[in-house]
């Protein structure tokens, strides 16, 4: 199996940069790390985590992934504590951090910021979310979660619910699943429907999809993966629009009564009001395990960026 990702420079910017073989190989590595989470594979390496936007899971799981592999971690979780607050440009920040780190994990509020960062440094850049655009490491852990719970990635019925306009995780997931013949149901209010570019992507790749505004048991009952998302308040330019849609959907435990035995409820988290707490004890609720899978997926990503062999293929 090729060790290099199929695009140059070992960056992990968009899930669309990966081939099907890249994805499957990274999932195998994630499975290896689930069995062997602690090792010294990154001994002597420094991982920088630069978070220009808030995060709990992504930053802490990247940092845990690094620590468990023996790397040291530098960085910031709040740009106000960095020289960005004095007016330093992203380019200069990246060039400085490149002097100190072997790999840069960056979350930024601007779409395209991670790609730009990768163009001003030779150090590998991992996109930990760029605005409403992409969140590829989330997608890898989503794929790993789907693969683990369904036993396959092929021919699955996937329902995405909520903010499909600004939700970068659903954008990346649509692209990644295109290799595996999914059927998509996009459930969103008109204001937050899946953007044109991604609907066109589905058409170009002959992916079956439909769109609905209503979120009902009827949709849930036929689906294998129910992917809930938060309404992304921070992306709205008009707060009145957010008020119109903020609590538009809420999954309740009773809505899962007729669902398929293999159904799993995923959510990239954080949730706000879109999954009732009574769902948490349902064995079909998988969002906390999904977040745990992020540790293994991110160990796989960091090692791949640094071209460090993982276990036996
Ligand atoms: N899923 C996710 O990106 O969570 P955080 O914003 O907490 O990192």
């Amino acid at each position: 199996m090729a060790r290099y990702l199929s695009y140059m420079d070992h960056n992990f910017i968009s899930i669309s940069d990966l081939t099907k073989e890249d994805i499957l190989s990274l999932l195998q590595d994630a499975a290896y790390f689930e069995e062997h989470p602690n090792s010294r594979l990154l001994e002597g390496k420094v991982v920088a985590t630069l978070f220009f936007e808030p995060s709990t899971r992504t930053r802490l799981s990247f940092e845990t992934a690094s620590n468990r592999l023996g790397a040291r971690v530098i960085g910031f979780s709040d740009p106000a504590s960095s020289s960005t607050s004095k007016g330093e440009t992203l380019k200069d920040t990246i060039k400085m951090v490149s002097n100190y780190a072997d790999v840069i994990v960056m979350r930024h509020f601007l779409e395209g910021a991670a790609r730009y960062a990768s163009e001003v440094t030779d150090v590998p850049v991992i996109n930990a979310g760029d605005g409403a655009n992409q969140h590829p490491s989330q997608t890898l852990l989503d794929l790993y979660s789907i693969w683990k719970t369904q036993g396959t990635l092929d021919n699955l019925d996937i329902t995405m619910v909520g903010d499909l306009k600004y939700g970068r995780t659903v954008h990346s997931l649509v692209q990644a699943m295109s290799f595996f013949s999914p059927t998509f149901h996009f459930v969103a209010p008109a204001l937050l429907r899946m953007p044109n570019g991604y609907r066109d992507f589905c058409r170009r790749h002959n992916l079956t999809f439909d769109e609905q505004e209503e979120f009902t048991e009827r949709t849930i009952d036929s689906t294998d993966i129910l992917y809930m998302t938060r309404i992304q308040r921070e992306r709205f330019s008009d707060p009145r629009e957010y008020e119109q849609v903020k609590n538009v959907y809420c999954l309740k435990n009773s809505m899962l009564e007729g669902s398929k035995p293999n159904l799993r409820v995923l959510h990239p988290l954080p949730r706000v009001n879109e999954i009732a707490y009574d769902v948490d004890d349902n064995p079909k609720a998988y969002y906390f395990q999904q977040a745990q899978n992020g540790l293994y997926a991110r160990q796989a990503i960091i090692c791949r960026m640094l071209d460090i062999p993982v276990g036996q293929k």
Side-chain angles (χ1 to χ4, degrees), residues 51 54-59 107 128 135 138 168-169 230 267-270 298:
F51 277 69
S55 167
T56 296
R57 278 145 292 273
T58 308
R59 184 175 65 82
R107 170 171 288 185
H135 195 349
Q138 175 73 43
R168 55 195 174 195
T169 67
R230 175 177 67 89
H267 191 309
L269 304 178
R298 287 169 174 136

Side-chain angles (χ1 to χ4, degrees), residues 157 159 185 187 212 214-223:
D157 188 293
T159 300
H185 310 287
V187 181
Q212 307 165 29
E214 253 195 300
F215 179 43
T216 64
E217 285 85 340
R218 208 159 146 246
T219 309
I220 295 172
D221 289 354
S222 65
T223 207

Side-chain angles (χ1 to χ4, degrees), residues 133-198:
N133 186 31
Q134 286 271 327
H135 195 349
S137 69
Q138 175 73 43
T139 303
L140 197 70
L141 78 89
D142 291 344
L143 293 172
Y144 186 56
S145 301
I146 295 170
W147 184 53
K148 268 179 69 178
T149 60
Q150 305 298 314
T152 181
L153 291 174
D154 291 312
N155 302 308
L156 294 172
D157 188 293
I158 298 179
T159 300
M160 297 178 170
V161 182
D163 187 346
L164 307 189
K165 178 179 180 184
Y166 297 119
R168 55 195 174 195
T169 67
V170 288
H171 301 161
S172 297
L173 189 56
V174 163
Q175 291 185 323
M177 286 303 300
S178 67
F179 295 118
F180 305 102
S181 306
T183 297
F184 288 124
H185 310 287
F186 298 143
V187 181
L191 200 60
L192 299 177
R193 68 189 290 211
M194 185 63 79
N196 260 329
Y198 291 98

